[in-house]
């Protein structure tokens, strides 16, 4: 084998390992983002047993320079919520936190 092929194989193996680790991190989250390409809409699903607030970022094509649309959504345990965003763009979950009423008061 030549050195170029060895480096390509090594890069492919490392890339798949890194992608697997990134995917494993997403699996540990309580809130999942489900995309339905036929409808062109996305849905948030809370798979945990507690109310959570999801901070969601939406970017539209052609608006890379501007400020993205960032919204918070409250999701009670075991529920799903279709997002109001439609059309082209990319959506990601920035963070998730317990709902304000679920935080114990001292």
């Amino acid at each position: 084998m030549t050195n170029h092929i060895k480096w390509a194989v090594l890069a492919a193996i490392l890339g798949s390992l890194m992608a697997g680790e990134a995917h494993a991190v997403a699996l540990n989250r309580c809130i999942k983002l489900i995309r339905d390409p036929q409808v062109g809409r996305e849905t948030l699903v809370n798979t945990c047993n507690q109310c959570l607030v999801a901070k969601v970022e939406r970017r539209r094509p052609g608006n890379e320079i501007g400020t993205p649309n960032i919204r918070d959504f409250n999701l009670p345990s075991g529920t799903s919520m279709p997002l109001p965003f439609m059309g082209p763009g990319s959506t990601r979950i920035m963070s998730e936190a317990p709902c304000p009423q679920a935080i114990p008061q001292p």
Side-chain angles (χ1 to χ4, degrees):
M1 269 181 155
T2 64
N3 283 338
H4 296 298
I5 295 173
K6 288 179 185 177
W7 283 110
V9 170
L10 181 62
I13 292 171
L14 289 175
S16 65
L17 288 174
M18 290 175 58
E21 289 176 12
H23 188 52
V25 171
L27 291 176
N28 293 334
R29 287 191 157 183
C30 288
I31 298 178
K32 311 280 190 238
L33 182 65
I34 312 261
R35 292 181 174 89
D36 187 358
Q38 294 177 346
V39 180
R41 194 163 249 195
E42 297 156 326
T43 302
L44 290 176
V45 179
N46 184 353
T47 59
C48 289
N49 293 331
Q50 65 176 346
C51 179
L52 293 169
V53 176
K55 184 175 288 251
V56 176
E57 175 188 75
R58 174 71 171 181
R59 289 192 178 266
R60 293 258 184 210
N63 195 16
E64 287 82 16
I65 298 172
T67 305
N69 190 351
I70 298 174
R71 295 190 190 176
D72 291 339
F73 297 97
N74 287 344
L75 289 162
S77 64
T79 61
S80 63
M81 172 185 293
L83 293 176
F85 313 121
M86 291 188 73
S90 62
T91 306
R92 72 179 185 108
I93 300 171
M94 295 175 62
S95 65
E96 58 185 49
C99 291
Q101 68 272 17
I103 298 173
Q105 299 296 324

